[in-house]
Amino acid sequence: MRKTLTRCAMLLLGLLIAAAGAWGVLAILFAGPADALLRNSLAGVFAVVTLAALIALVVRRWRGRTLVTYLIQFIALLFCWYRLEPSNERDWQADVAVLPYASIDGDLVTMHNIRNFDYRSETDYTPAWYDKTFDLRKLRGVDLIASYWMGPAIAHVFLSFDFGDDEHLAISIETRKEKGEAYSTLKGFFRQYELFYVVADERDVIRLRTNYRRSPAEEVYLYPLHAPIEHGRQLFLEYIQRINTLKDHPEFYNSLTTNCTTAMWLHSRVNPQHLPFDWRIIASGYVPQLLYQHDLINSAGLPFAEVRRQAHINARAQAANDAVDFSRLIRMDDPAQPVEPAAQPPAAPGTRSE
């Protein structure tokens, strides 16, 4: 029995060393020194010491010193890891170059730097931002937008707040990428991106996905949520507080713990009837089904397949394109109804462009 317990303990320790070693190698490769030769050399040394530690578990005479060496290098890596700091001062891509923030005066929330780019393609656009004041007393609904590009399990999910009179403010939790940087889920685990809240006009953040992204194309669904409007106000203010905090105190994005759906779920805890954690919060493509199951999507008693069919807005968005009333048109029941094309209105006072 004693030998069995010892072997089990060694097996568990070996799994722990292997997992920590794999994490350490990737951490050095993604977040290590800028010099490629030095970075790769350090990763190689870390891998060799990890392998030696695993061998030492079955070779007793090596065990003590090898495990101590492994522990010292792992502690040194953790020390360097926790010294990595997020920043708002980098050479950012244009679409995330300007931080949004808000000023609050009672029920009036003035949102600064609302993104409203004029797109000609996904990568060819004229940057523009504007400021706008929203009255919390006029909030009448919240919509969930889910955008799919790689199967049913993965989606980018974000919210849009409806203030009436065709005034919608979309807030999308994303990565803040530097120029020349592309998104990678794996890199997102290793402090390679700052956390960014895109605050945008729907003609920007929705139309980009329905009308301009082609490699791969995205399929976008809009679901009106079903909840007390006071919960919507609390959720909006929770988002605003977080946005203002990030302006002065940047944070790292994490592919697992601080992504579009986990952050949304954390924000929802401001309301007393928030959902318990569910595996579908990680498998983000199934978030609409999760909300439907808990009667948090306006369904009119329809089965989810029909609700999903009605929620698909690509055709409506492509027909509306740059219409002034884009938000109204993408919510029409009949996507085939003729659309009057209209030029995008001049940006509101406070617009900045580059």
Side-chain angles (χ1 to χ4, degrees):
M1 177 65 70
R2 188 172 182 178
K3 287 183 178 179
T4 300
L5 290 175
T6 300
R7 288 171 182 172
C8 289
M10 288 297 179
L11 177 61
L12 290 175
L13 181 58
L15 292 174
L16 181 61
I17 290 173
W23 176 86
V25 170
L26 290 172
I28 294 170
L29 289 175
F30 284 121
D35 182 80
L37 178 60
L38 177 59
R39 185 173 64 250
N40 292 335
S41 298
L42 289 174
V45 169
F46 199 97
V48 168
V49 174
T50 299
L51 180 60
L54 291 173
I55 295 173
L57 292 179
V58 295
V59 181
R60 182 172 298 180
R61 67 177 182 273
W62 291 8
R63 190 172 299 163
R65 292 180 181 179
T66 305
L67 291 180
V68 168
T69 301
Y70 173 82
L71 184 61
I72 290 173
Q73 80 160 6
F74 190 75
I75 290 173
L77 177 60
L78 288 179
F79 176 77
C80 296
W81 174 258
Y82 285 107
R83 285 178 60 86
L84 295 175
E85 293 185 358
S87 173
N88 282 331
E89 305 299 325
R90 304 191 195 278
D91 190 13
W92 304 112
Q93 294 183 12
D95 58 336
V96 293
V98 178
L99 279 170
Y101 67 98
S103 306
I104 302 176
D105 182 11
D107 289 320
L108 300 179
V109 177
T110 300
M111 199 73 226
H112 303 276
N113 301 329
I114 300 171
R115 200 179 77 188
N116 191 27
F117 284 19
D118 181 16
Y119 292 94
R120 292 170 290 275
S121 72
E122 180 181 359
T123 57
D124 181 18
Y125 45 73
T126 300
W129 295 264
Y130 67 87
D131 300 347
K132 191 177 185 65
T133 298
F134 298 90
D135 189 338
L136 286 173
R137 294 166 296 187
K138 293 183 178 180
L139 183 69
R140 66 182 189 184
V142 182
D143 297 324
L144 178 91
I145 295 93
S147 183
Y148 297 80
W149 68 96
M150 57 179 298
I154 302 298
H156 178 63
V157 180
F158 59 97
L159 298 180
S160 184
F161 295 86
D162 177 4
F163 288 91
D165 299 324
D166 209 29
E167 293 185 354
H168 296 261
L169 185 68
I171 305 180
S172 173
I173 302 170
E174 303 182 12
T175 58
R176 195 177 192 191
K177 297 184 288 293
E178 299 176 59
K179 288 181 180 178
E181 193 172 35
Y183 176 72
S184 160
T185 301
L186 188 58
K187 287 177 64 176
F189 288 101
F190 294 97
R191 299 190 170 188
Q192 294 303 288
Y193 308 110
E194 273 74 11
L195 181 65
F196 189 76
Y197 281 54
V198 175
V199 179
D201 194 295
E202 286 189 339
R203 281 167 299 194
D204 178 315
V205 72
I206 292 179
R207 191 162 62 111
L208 168 64
R209 290 168 165 81
T210 56
N211 294 29
Y212 294 104
R213 286 193 173 161
R214 295 289 180 267
S215 299
E218 298 190 23
E219 299 298 327
V220 181
Y221 299 80
L222 187 151
Y223 299 93
L225 298 181
H226 176 229
I229 198 60
E230 185 55 36
H231 289 187
R233 294 190 184 98
Q234 293 294 335
L235 183 60
F236 180 74
L237 289 173
E238 180 73 9
Y239 267 74
I240 294 303
Q241 180 181 346
R242 186 78 160 122
I243 288 165
N244 282 346
T245 298
L246 289 174
K247 182 176 182 293
D248 298 316
H249 304 284
E251 296 181 21
F252 284 117
Y253 173 94
N254 184 281
S255 295
L256 180 63
T257 61
T258 319
N259 57 42
C260 63
T261 50
T262 55
M264 185 186 303
W265 178 77
L266 289 170
H267 285 312
S268 74
R269 295 188 303 170
V270 70
N271 290 314
Q273 296 177 346
H274 71 279
L275 291 178
F277 190 80
D278 187 283
W279 65 268
R280 286 166 288 191
I281 293 171
I282 302 299
S284 53
Y286 299 113
V287 166
Q289 287 95 321
L290 172 65
L291 298 178
Y292 175 86
Q293 177 184 325
H294 287 270
D295 195 29
L296 291 173
I297 284 179
N298 284 335
S299 64
L302 296 172
F304 181 75
E306 178 60 20
V307 172
R308 187 175 188 272
R309 186 193 69 78
Q310 294 182 8
H312 189 242
I313 62 170
N314 281 61
R316 282 170 264 179
Q318 289 160 11
N321 196 23
D322 59 355
V324 173
D325 54 348
F326 176 86
S327 293
R328 180 183 68 84
L329 293 170
I330 64 173
R331 289 168 172 83
M332 288 170 53
D333 292 334
D334 182 7
Q337 184 169 335
V339 174
E340 288 288 335
Q344 194 164 330
T351 293
R352 295 187 290 138
S353 60
E354 300 180 343

